[in-house]
Amino acid sequence: MTERIALIGFGEVGRLFARQWIRQGVAVTVYDRLFDDPARGEALQADAAALGATVATDHAGACRGQPLVISAVTADQAVTAARQCAPALAPGQTYVDLNSVSPSTKAEVAAVLDPSGVDFVEWAVMAPVAEPGIAVPILAGGPRAGEWADRLNPLGMRIDAVADRIGVASATKLCRSIVIKGMEALMVDLAAAGAEHGVLPAVLASLTASYPGMDWAQILQIMPTRVARHGVRRAAEMREVAVMMREAGLSGALAEAIAVRHESFAAAARAAEAATPSAPLSPSERSPAHVA
């Protein structure tokens, strides 16, 4: 039986997953709110069609009758996307939210969808998707999480159903993000301050002596680049971490500070790029960056 999947969001994750699912024979329907954007919509729709996806004209058109609907938008759009999809959903379908949001936001998405009778599953993407694509490790939660893992893993996915209840997978992801996104923010500041004072070689040598299992020079090279490219959506994710911390009676100040650093560094990188003449953007660069 051919799997049919509706994908809401055609950013980094949506593009990679759609391409690889289609290669596995999955029938993929795609909708992204930027399809309606006068400046970018036509190109994004053409990119989706070129992959072999069916291009929907709205949320309802993408969702209606699809066994599996996957929301791959940005953290700040997760609830909005669910509200826009809900009227077209019905019992027997499953809606997956893979966005990097707090357990309470996942619960809010589930509450929005509940009147439709659709089943809800949360996914938490546990590593950058660029290289592994659909083989990226994913934690899943919800009553039907195991069923869908069994159906999709033979296609090359690596879904691990970790709980019947919603919140376990998302909490695991966001706790990890405190470390990963926090390190990225630290590397941004280290690169700037170390270069300003001419001490980067000495600092890297000291870090290597203290933590010899880590390639600090490579980390310093890679992480600021990631922040420059994905800082805006990662800032939204870290604000979800702050929500999770506050709801647990803890301080969200560190998560908020990490969010500000990601956002400001990405904005500065965008401004510098805009000020420098360059070649036309590739299809992957034209697409909005969504989840990692």
Side-chain angles (χ1 to χ4, degrees), residues 77-103:
Q77 291 297 311
V79 176
T80 299
R83 288 197 182 105
Q84 291 170 325
C85 291
L89 299 172
Q93 293 177 275
T94 299
Y95 185 99
V96 172
D97 186 296
L98 63 67
N99 306 298
S100 297
V101 296
S102 67

Side-chain angles (χ1 to χ4, degrees), residues 1 3 5 20-21 23-26 123 134-135 145-160:
M1 180 180 68
E3 292 289 0
I5 296 174
Q20 294 178 19
W21 281 329
R23 287 176 181 169
Q24 294 294 326
V26 178
W123 283 359
I134 60 173
E147 174 191 336
W148 278 106
D150 290 342
R151 288 177 65 168
L152 297 177
N153 284 348
L155 299 176
M157 300 194 74
R158 292 177 57 196
I159 304 167
D160 182 13

Side-chain angles (χ1 to χ4, degrees), residues 25-38:
V26 178
V28 177
T29 299
V30 178
Y31 177 73
D32 191 296
R33 64 193 180 106
L34 289 181
F35 285 178
D36 303 322
D37 184 277

